[in-house]
């Protein structure tokens, strides 16, 4: 639930960032670099193991350079190219089903029938919230499907590899600092390549970026704790997907976004699925 709360706050601040005309790479940089700066002094003052075996390094590098960085870029690109951004978002969010099923075989995880029903309910009701009923124009470019599928598998394997690193005994702070540090370097290089001048940021933009970084710090840490402790990693992904419902209400409350009857039904359905998931 701590992950859920920080996820909602994070998405709402990103929405505020868009309204403040923030360059997109800076949002990404704040989401990865600020957490590293917060995690590092904590790790240095606690008995955290930083030394890794070669196979652990391979997974960490894969997480940072490919699953986190490329997954994020693929997700954004898929939404940009899709006839409706909601199509891409709901497909990539459905990775919860993939991780739930794979975890049954990879980690010997368990899942009850009511929990599986709850996960499906969350996904279906999220569709009601995300996808707009607009008739898209003829759209022959199918590249968005491949970008979306790339994001789908990136998010899925990011979760599964995090669980595997936990099984290997790699501490949460170690895997977050290394993987997010690698992604931060790649995003910083992208920011420099696009000649984004940080000195031109307003005070409001700086505060928003700082808030995004702090909430991303909480979100990623509590997600990792959830992945370590949950009976099935799919539960954590389902809760993450369910945050769409709370974000929808928050966007209506703070940004006066439209809240139709269909979206309200979706929000209620997502919350029912969330309660059902935790009851089991």
């Amino acid at each position: 639930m701590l992950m859920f709360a920080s996820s909602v706050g994070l998405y709402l601040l990103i929405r505020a960032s868009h309204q403040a005309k923030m360059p997109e790479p800076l949002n990404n940089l704040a989401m990865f670099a600020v957490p590293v700066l917060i995690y590092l002094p904590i790790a240095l003052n606690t008995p955290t193991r930083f030394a890794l075996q070669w196979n652990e390094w391979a997974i960490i590098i894969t997480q940072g350079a490919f699953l986190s960085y490329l997954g994020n870029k693929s997700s954004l690109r898929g939404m940009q190219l899709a006839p409706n951004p909601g199509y891409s978002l709901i497909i990539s969010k459905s990775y919860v089903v993939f991780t739930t099923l794979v975890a049954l075989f990879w980690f010997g995880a368990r899942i009850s029938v009511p929990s599986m029903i709850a996960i499906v309910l969350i996904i279906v009701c999220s569709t009601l919230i995300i996808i707009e009923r607009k008739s898209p124009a003829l759209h022959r470019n199918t590249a968005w499907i491949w970008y979306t599928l790339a994001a789908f598998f990136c998010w899925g394997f990011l979760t599964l590899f995090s669980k595997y690193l936990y099984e290997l005994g790699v501490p949460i702070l170690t895997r977050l600092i290394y993987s997010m540090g690698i992604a931060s370097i790649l995003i910083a290089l992208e920011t420099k390549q696009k000649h984004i001048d940080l000195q031109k940021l307003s005070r409001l933009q700086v505060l928003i970026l700082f808030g995004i970084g702090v909430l991303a710090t909480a979100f990623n840490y509590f997600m990792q704790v959830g992945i370590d402790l949950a009976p099935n990693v799919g539960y954590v992904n389902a809760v993450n997907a369910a945050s769409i419902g709370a974000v929808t209400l928050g966007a209506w409350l703070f940004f006066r976004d439209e809240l139709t009857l269909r979206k309200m039904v979706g929000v209620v359905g997502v919350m029912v699925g969330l309660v059902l998931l935790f009851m089991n």
Side-chain angles (χ1 to χ4, degrees):
M1 293 309 297
L2 288 170
M3 179 200 73
F4 179 91
S6 54
S7 174
V8 173
L10 177 61
Y11 278 111
L12 290 175
L13 264 188
I14 290 174
R15 172 63 188 276
S17 174
H18 290 158
Q19 286 197 340
K21 308 298 183 183
M22 189 82 70
E24 189 64 41
L26 292 186
N27 286 335
N28 296 334
L29 186 61
M31 289 175 64
F32 285 92
V34 173
V36 173
L37 296 176
I38 295 176
Y39 296 143
L40 191 56
I42 297 174
L44 291 174
N45 287 279
T46 54
T48 301
R49 174 172 74 91
F50 283 99
L52 299 177
Q53 301 296 324
W54 69 267
N55 60 321
E56 295 169 341
W57 270 117
I59 297 172
I60 290 285
I61 293 172
T62 299
Q63 282 189 313
F66 296 98
L67 302 181
S68 293
Y69 177 70
L70 292 181
N72 187 57
K73 288 184 69 67
S74 297
S75 178
L76 292 174
R77 188 61 175 159
M79 286 189 286
Q80 288 171 355
L81 295 178
N84 186 317
Y87 298 165
S88 177
L89 186 58
I90 196 62
I91 291 173
S92 62
K93 282 286 185 182
S94 297
Y95 75 93
V96 54
V97 177
F98 169 68
T99 55
T100 301
L101 296 177
V102 171
L104 293 175
F105 302 98
W106 192 351
F107 305 110
R110 59 180 176 83
I111 185 171
S112 64
V113 173
S115 295
M116 196 67 210
I117 293 173
I119 290 172
V120 173
L121 181 62
I122 288 171
I123 294 172
V124 171
C125 292
S126 296
T127 305
L128 294 176
I129 297 170
I130 294 174
I131 297 181
E132 300 292 340
R133 287 184 174 177
K134 295 178 180 178
S135 298
L138 186 61
H139 201 83
R140 297 185 181 280
N141 187 353
T142 59
W144 71 273
I145 297 176
W146 300 108
Y147 282 110
T148 300
L149 288 176
F152 175 98
F153 286 108
C154 280
W155 300 147
F157 279 111
L158 185 63
T159 301
L160 294 169
F161 283 165
S162 292
K163 182 68 173 180
Y164 184 58
L165 287 172
Y166 165 72
E167 298 282 332
L168 293 176
V170 180
I172 290 176
L173 290 177
T174 301
R175 58 191 191 236
L176 284 174
I177 289 170
Y178 285 149
S179 63
M180 297 184 78
I182 293 170
S184 297
I185 293 172
L186 295 174
I187 296 170
L189 292 173
E190 180 184 353
T191 303
K192 183 177 180 181
Q193 185 181 26
K194 293 184 177 180
H195 305 290
I196 298 174
D197 190 354
L198 299 179
Q199 296 182 347
K200 292 183 178 180
L201 295 177
S202 67
R203 181 175 298 180
L204 175 62
Q205 289 176 319
V206 172
L207 288 174
I208 290 175
L209 285 176
F210 179 73
I212 287 174
V214 170
L215 287 170
T217 301
F219 169 74
N220 284 286
Y221 181 79
F222 291 126
M223 173 179 271
Q224 293 298 316
V225 174
I227 289 172
D228 289 357
L229 302 179
N232 190 308
V233 294
Y235 291 3
V236 181
N237 298 145
V239 174
N240 186 20
S243 66
I244 293 171
V247 170
T248 301
L249 291 178
W252 169 73
L253 182 63
F254 295 110
F255 302 106
R256 295 292 181 258
D257 279 11
E258 183 183 22
L259 185 61
T260 63
L261 177 61
R262 177 174 57 84
K263 287 187 177 183
M264 196 64 220
V265 170
V267 169
V268 172
V270 164
M271 295 309 165
V272 170
L274 191 60
V275 172
L276 182 61
L277 184 67
F278 278 115
M279 286 178 61
N280 292 279

